[in-house]
Amino acid sequence: MVAGMTIVLLDEFVMTWLNENLQFQQFILTLPLYLRLTFALILGDLGYYVAHRMMHTAPLWRTHKFHHSIREIYWFSGLRTSAMNSLIIRIPYLIALCAFGITQQEMAVVAIGLAAVNFWVHANANISLGRLNYLFITPAFHRIHHSMEARAEGTNFGNILSCWDYLFGTAIQVEETLVVSEKGFTIEREEAVRQLIGV
């Protein structure tokens, strides 16, 4: 369902609008693929940060709440999400990839890469990247985002790049107490279907 809606959004709305309104698209297409892909991922990741942050406010919290019910964070946890969350969170990347002329075949490869990122940030691993922690998300950095402690609320929203959190003041440094703190909450049985849809 989400894949079908994404394709409709891409083909019917995003690509049409970009082709009609993006004046510098011809210039963009002259850039080498690696530059277009880099710019698209940076712009898409900024959009992801904004969308993710908005999902932690009403009324979009309803689309994202199911993901935060996870009690045990491990590499597969990122796939526990509502249909609406899956759709909304992909839109910034899709728009950016379209804007930079990334083809559908190339997007398929990017999608695999983004799935790997999802597995990475939810991995139950204590890995530090040294000074690169200020640029890239680590599993411990993201695990704090899932913490139930009050001081972790509204923090560490990034997906690939942690620099957005540092730039916009939503970063909390990795602390062992927050990394191992309680995660998730119980979803009531009567709410399960609504949570899966994300409404």
Side-chain angles (χ1 to χ4, degrees), residues 29-64:
L29 294 176
T30 65
L31 297 173
L33 176 61
Y34 76 92
L35 272 182
R36 289 187 287 123
L37 194 53
T38 300
F39 291 144
L41 287 173
I42 290 171
L43 184 63
D45 202 61
L46 174 58
Y48 177 102
Y49 170 87
V50 172
H52 190 187
R53 194 167 173 179
M54 287 174 60
M55 284 181 167
H56 281 258
T57 62
L60 289 179
W61 172 243
R62 299 181 84 143
T63 69
H64 192 56

Side-chain angles (χ1 to χ4, degrees), residues 1 12 15 19 22 43 55 74 154 156 159 175 197:
M1 180 183 80
E12 299 298 323
M15 287 304 293
N19 288 333
L22 197 61
L43 184 63
M55 284 181 167
Y74 66 105
N156 298 9
N159 186 44
E175 298 176 19
I197 297 168

